[in-house]
Amino acid sequence: MDVAEQLKDRSGGICELCTASTDLKVYEVPPKSTGGVDGSMLICETCSGQVADAETMDANHWRCLNDSMWSEHDAVKAVVWRMLSRLKGEGWPKDLLEMMYLDDATLEWAKATGEGEDESERIIHRDVNGVILQNGDNVVLIKDLKIKGSSQIAKQGTAVRRISVDRENAEYIEGKVGPTLTVIITKYVKKTS
Ligand SMILES: [Zn+2]
């Protein structure tokens, strides 16, 4: 049996992260060069895309980690640990990380890609669609915004260029509306570029 078949056997033919049963492929968990069944897992298209690109992470999809964290396979555990670390800012993944058990070697493996470093303090800002916002992004207001300390109201649809995110609080970003630098509620904007 080749690796793909062995993994199919091991998993019962489902994604070992989210249990999807379509578009499955073998994912060799980096950075282990040994590969093989113990170094790999079966993963679906949705999961693998988001594992590869942190920017596209959809936190809701990863609720599946609630179950897959109990996998008995180290390769799966290592990836679950990485995804939970990446999503720590959401709150619930932190609780799961605390419940999770990895032996020393597996934990070392999980950490080897640099995931989870200095992330305990990380705060993630998301727009109305859940898209991650970063300093320098451009957004539009999806609600009328009262400018603090003035009678001015910025209308829904107003573009705010080059925002900065509040390092302490995921609920707020800052941006210039006209000449005025103002605080904006993160979920009332939509990222444009
Ligand atoms: Zn999946």
Side-chain angles (χ1 to χ4, degrees):
M1 280 207 296
D2 67 8
V3 172
E5 278 170 40
Q6 289 180 67
L7 286 176
K8 235 169 245 171
D9 217 42
R10 172 172 101 182
S11 66
I14 57 173
C15 170
E16 290 182 277
L17 292 174
C18 79
T19 74
S21 54
T22 50
D23 293 327
L24 300 173
K25 60 180 188 183
V26 175
Y27 175 62
E28 261 187 41
V29 181
K32 250 190 188 175
S33 52
T34 49
V37 173
D38 291 338
S40 308
M41 62 187 294
L42 210 58
I43 191 171
C44 75
E45 204 57 54
T46 308
C47 285
S48 87
Q50 296 185 36
V51 166
D53 183 3
E55 292 287 297
T56 63
M57 292 287 277
D58 166 17
N60 276 333
H61 174 75
W62 295 101
R63 293 276 178 178
C64 61
L65 298 175
N66 224 324
D67 294 319
S68 43
M69 65 184 275
W70 304 112
S71 167
E72 56 193 276
H73 307 293
D74 291 342
V76 179
K77 282 195 214 174
V79 176
V80 169
W81 188 93
R82 285 175 194 169
M83 294 306 106
L84 287 174
S85 299
R86 209 185 262 180
L87 292 165
K88 237 181 191 172
E90 299 283 330
W92 58 265
K94 215 171 173 181
D95 300 335
L96 298 189
L97 273 175
E98 274 163 24
M99 281 193 276
M100 208 178 162
Y101 177 74
L102 285 80
D103 61 36
D104 290 346
T106 309
L107 187 60
E108 203 179 306
W109 182 15
K111 285 181 174 174
T113 51
E115 210 83 60
E117 277 173 11
D118 301 315
E119 300 229 345
S120 55
E121 304 282 299
R122 191 163 161 216
I123 291 168
I124 299 172
H125 294 72
R126 291 177 189 279
D127 77 357
V128 61
N129 295 322
V131 175
I132 294 176
L133 298 173
Q134 289 172 325
N135 289 335
D137 283 346
N138 301 324
V139 300
V140 293
L141 304 179
I142 61 156
K143 278 190 180 222
D144 290 354
L145 170 75
K146 199 175 161 341
I147 311 278
K148 221 179 163 188
S150 83
S151 57
Q152 210 189 332
I153 289 181
K155 285 280 174 209
Q156 176 185 350
T158 302
V160 183
R161 295 182 56 79
R162 301 191 57 76
I163 57 144
S164 53
V165 298
D166 186 326
R167 278 284 146 233
E168 314 270 271
N169 195 327
E171 284 173 47
Y172 301 112
I173 59 173
E174 275 191 345
K176 270 192 167 177
V177 177
T180 321
L181 185 66
T182 189
V183 173
I184 305 167
I185 297 174
T186 313
K187 65 180 179 209
Y188 292 161
V189 303
K190 192 171 92 181
K191 181 172 165 169
T192 50
S193 61

